[in-house]
Amino acid sequence: MEEEPKRKKIEAVALKLSHLKGKPSLVQRNSAILFQVQEELEKHDLCLNIVRSNICHLNACDETVTVRCPKLPKDSDARIGVRRDPQNPSKKQKLFGYNMVMTTSVELNLKLELPVAVTNIAGNAEE
């Protein structure tokens, strides 16, 4: 029997339970409704605050939730390039975007930090 590969876990939403000050906002009400805890939260004057979320679409009609992968690049039109790895020429290295390294000169007399040079190098998947 072939073993199924382990699926990576993605955080869908991070919530924080807080005391309610005034009336709950629309986002707080919708979060409570989504997790079906609105009555219990109202009893104790609590609310759910979203800390971070990877949910990009909710469909109330068929109760589906679309979650985006946080590890994917945000720029979907960008292309990923390939080059030879400088440390190991027999391997290829994926490139995504660019790294900008700015060299500055600190002038203590003038209390300034002045840019001297900018180096633009290819980015890689580990950065």
Side-chain angles (χ1 to χ4, degrees):
M1 186 186 290
E2 196 173 308
E3 230 179 277
E4 206 173 298
K6 289 186 177 180
R7 293 183 179 205
K8 302 232 184 223
K9 294 181 180 180
I10 298 173
E11 178 182 75
V13 65
L15 300 167
K16 182 171 85 172
L17 193 62
S18 303
H19 286 284
L20 186 62
K21 297 172 185 161
K23 293 177 74 176
S25 69
L26 180 63
V27 174
Q28 290 170 336
R29 281 195 311 262
N30 287 341
S31 298
I33 292 168
L34 176 66
F35 295 107
Q36 299 174 354
V37 292
Q38 67 270 22
E39 291 173 9
E40 196 65 31
L41 290 174
E42 285 173 7
K43 283 183 200 174
H44 302 286
D45 283 334
L46 296 171
C47 65
L48 290 176
N49 289 320
I50 296 176
V51 177
R52 59 188 169 273
S53 172
N54 289 314
I55 296 174
C56 58
H57 187 261
L58 287 168
N59 189 341
C61 297
D62 61 359
E63 297 180 348
T64 59
V65 178
T66 306
V67 179
R68 68 174 170 77
C69 178
K71 297 193 185 243
L72 288 177
K74 304 283 189 275
D75 187 1
S76 59
D77 296 335
R79 296 185 316 185
I80 296 176
V82 178
R83 73 168 183 188
R84 296 251 176 240
D85 190 345
Q87 283 77 31
N88 188 355
S90 64
K91 289 188 176 181
K92 291 184 178 177
Q93 181 182 41
K94 289 183 180 178
L95 303 173
F96 182 79
Y98 294 92
N99 288 334
M100 184 182 81
V101 180
M102 184 176 286
T103 307
T104 59
S105 171
V106 178
E107 301 294 333
L108 294 175
N109 306 0
L110 303 172
K111 297 181 182 175
L112 287 175
E113 187 174 342
L114 300 170
V116 176
V118 175
T119 307
N120 196 6
I121 58 175
N124 60 40
E126 286 80 37
E127 295 173 344

